[in-house]
Amino acid sequence: MDFKQLASTILANVGGKENVDKVVHCATRLRFTLKDESKAQTDVLKKTQGVLSVINAGGQYQVVIGPDVPAVYQEVVALGGFESAAAVEDPKAAKEDTRSPLSRVLEFVASLFQPIIPAITGAGLLKAFMALFVTLGWLDNTTQTYTILNAFADSAFYFLPILLGASAAKNFKCNQYVAMALGGILVYPAFITLMSGEEAVSLFGLPVTQASYSSSVVPILLGVWFMSVVEHFVQKISPQAIKFFSVPLASILVAGTVTVIVLGPIGTWIGDLIAAFFSWLTATAGWLVPTLVGIFNPLLVMTGTHYGLIPIGTNNLATTGFDTVVGPGMLTSNVAQGAAGLAVALRTRNKTTKQLAASAGLTGVLGITEPVLYGVNLKFIYPLIAAMVGGGVGGLYLGITGVGRYASGSPGLLVLPAYIGGDGMGNFFNACIGTVIAMVVSFVVCFVLYSVWDKQGKLDPSETEGN
């Protein structure tokens, strides 16, 4: 595929670079914030080779590309010069935000985590496979090789405050590198040693609550927010001649002090409270959340709001080392969507649809569902219904058996080793059983619904064409 040509076509049909306020990308989509959405040629884009679908939701104009989106995004940025233009904002050009408060919150949370997802996904998968290899006896966890590989797998999570600091700084419009330094304070070795000791800790005579901030989520987000307030204030009052050093000095000293004394403990308390709530929910109705996520995750993906769940799972892993809320339901949902696509590939008489459904279905069971969701399931509807049923049934089994993940990763067959941990292999075996249930139920329901749709004349004409 010619990514440069595709990027040029997309840019032209969203109204040109002059119509773009901002563009980011996630695992499979270009996400545009447009000045005037009426200028976008949606019908043209939907028919463009290389574009799976176009969605206008949550205040964003989303062009679904698939796994090649990072390459297309780089070309879009290069053609539009958006990195340099991003720092220039015209308040008069800003349009009224008509999104609901919930949509705005979810979109904001998603924007914080989207940039770091590749890092935590890669690290999580490595951690999962290491657990599998140790269990199979292929890797000795007492060797130097294991220690070094464990550093590869743990670094993204241990230094999560630094990664989130950089991401949050973009959203709060403050200096990224100072924000990363603020995150570095929380994981600085001597600071960690001091905070984990038995002796009371104080700063400028003020008591400091002793807490662990490695792998934490909420404290750095609060800290960078406060840092942005300090930075913008000092920018206004500081003489031009000394801004170069006065602004970062104030940001580090003031924001660091407030974060360590006030915001860090508050963030830790919030994170623990969130984890406690979901622990209570799991103990009270453990079957509920994985079932609901398994059913409705395709709809969340369609609107991009599934990213709003990721911080919950990340926080659970950081605070308890075990996530029963996000991972299991997304796992069954994804493999169910892939299985539905494979069922379509088996039943359809259209060669083009058969090839697309087979390749997209395989991608789906491995954890990337947008190609099968937009290219097959949503287009024909009955596979989407089958996927929601299969995801829900599989999620119900995982909920009843209390299955959870010990590491993160794109939910699919490849991430099953992330369910190895704790005492014995029961959790892993139940995760495998739930995955099989989701795939089998989805495949069978899709297979049956094809016949029902066919008898009632509801099949898309493209499915019944011979070529």
Side-chain angles (χ1 to χ4, degrees):
M1 185 184 297
D2 187 339
F3 297 129
K4 186 173 183 179
Q5 179 58 45
L6 177 57
S8 177
T9 302
I10 292 172
L11 198 55
N13 286 287
V14 296
K17 63 181 181 181
E18 300 82 6
N19 194 39
V20 178
D21 262 340
K22 180 182 178 183
V23 58
V24 295
H25 78 91
C26 58
T28 55
R29 313 180 206 188
L30 295 171
R31 294 165 169 259
F32 291 91
T33 302
L34 302 180
K35 297 176 182 177
D36 185 355
E37 292 177 354
S38 66
K39 293 183 180 180
Q41 304 296 316
T42 302
D43 291 338
V44 176
L45 284 172
K46 285 184 176 180
K47 296 177 182 177
T48 300
Q49 185 176 3
V51 175
L52 296 175
S53 184
V54 178
I55 304 164
N56 194 350
Q60 286 189 334
Y61 191 83
Q62 304 172 20
V63 181
V64 185
I65 303 296
D68 291 325
V69 71
V72 179
Y73 173 75
Q74 292 301 326
E75 295 294 345
V76 169
V77 167
L79 290 172
F82 294 120
E83 287 186 337
S84 59
V88 180
E89 294 188 0
D90 181 5
K92 295 180 180 179
K95 60 181 181 179
E96 182 182 356
D97 193 342
T98 58
R99 295 174 296 167
S100 68
L102 178 59
S103 295
R104 290 197 293 269
V105 169
L106 289 175
E107 183 56 42
F108 176 74
V109 171
S111 68
L112 293 174
F113 279 81
Q114 283 171 8
I116 70 169
I117 286 174
I120 61 177
T121 295
L125 281 173
L126 178 57
K127 197 174 185 70
F129 280 115
M130 287 176 64
L132 175 62
F133 295 158
V134 168
T135 301
L136 295 175
W138 298 350
L139 181 64
D140 186 348
N141 59 7
T142 63
T143 63
Q144 293 178 343
T145 296
Y146 178 88
T147 300
I148 295 174
L149 287 177
N150 195 52
F152 294 174
D154 268 352
S155 63
F157 298 99
Y158 186 87
F159 295 106
L160 192 58
I162 297 178
L163 299 180
L164 279 174
S167 177
K170 282 188 174 182
N171 287 271
F172 292 124
K173 303 189 187 324
C174 57
N175 190 291
Q176 270 189 287
Y177 301 101
V178 178
M180 292 168 68
L182 182 65
I185 294 171
L186 301 180
V187 292
Y188 187 72
F191 178 78
I192 291 178
T193 301
L194 184 65
M195 297 295 280
S196 60
E198 297 181 359
E199 185 180 351
V201 179
S202 65
L203 176 62
F204 303 129
L206 299 172
V208 175
T209 301
Q210 291 170 269
S212 174
Y213 295 112
S214 58
S215 304
S216 62
V217 174
V218 183
I220 186 61
L221 298 182
L222 295 177
V224 174
W225 163 77
F226 184 76
M227 193 198 90
S228 70
V229 175
V230 173
E231 181 179 301
H232 297 156
F233 176 74
V234 178
Q235 283 276 11
K236 291 180 180 179
I237 67 170
S238 182
Q240 186 67 34
I242 64 170
K243 278 186 178 181
F244 178 76
F245 59 82
S246 64
V247 174
L249 173 62
S251 296
I252 284 289
L253 185 58
V254 177
T257 299
V258 173
T259 298
V260 169
I261 294 176
V262 181
L263 299 179
I266 291 175
T268 300
W269 177 76
I270 292 174
D272 290 343
L273 188 63
I274 293 172
F277 168 74
F278 283 107
S279 295
W280 169 83
L281 186 61
T282 299
T284 305
W287 57 271
L288 181 60
V289 176
T291 302
L292 293 178
V293 174
I295 294 172
F296 295 110
N297 191 54
L299 307 184
L300 298 178
V301 172
M302 287 166 56
T303 60
T305 52
H306 63 300
Y307 283 106
L309 296 177
I310 291 175
I312 299 173
T314 304
N315 182 75
N316 288 342
L317 289 173
T319 53
T320 66
F322 190 66
D323 170 41
T324 60
V325 178
V326 179
M330 285 190 170
L331 170 64
T332 59
S333 174
N334 285 3
V335 298
Q337 287 204 68
L342 294 175
V344 172
L346 183 64
R347 300 231 56 182
T348 184
R349 297 189 289 273
N350 183 282
K351 293 182 180 179
T352 302
T353 301
K354 188 181 291 290
Q355 292 174 351
L356 173 62
S359 60
L362 178 60
T363 303
V365 297
L366 295 179
I368 302 297
T369 59
E370 277 85 349
V372 71
L373 173 62
Y374 296 115
V376 180
N377 297 352
L378 187 59
K379 178 180 179 181
F380 301 130
I381 302 300
Y382 72 89
L384 178 62
I385 296 173
M388 293 175 72
V389 173
V393 174
L396 176 61
Y397 178 84
L398 296 189
I400 291 174
T401 54
V403 168
R405 58 176 178 165
Y406 292 89
S408 66
S410 184
L413 295 183
L414 291 178
V415 85
L416 280 173
Y419 290 80
I420 298 174
D423 298 327
M425 293 287 287
N427 186 75
F428 172 72
F429 290 142
N430 279 322
C432 293
I433 293 171
T435 300
V436 171
I437 289 173
M439 292 179 66
V440 170
V441 170
S442 177
F443 189 93
V444 171
V445 171
C446 187
F447 200 91
V448 172
L449 285 181
Y450 181 94
S451 299
V452 174
W453 252 242
D454 193 13
K455 290 180 180 179
Q456 296 181 357
K458 293 182 180 180
L459 285 179
D460 189 290
S462 65
E463 280 200 87
T464 57
E465 296 169 358
N467 49 40

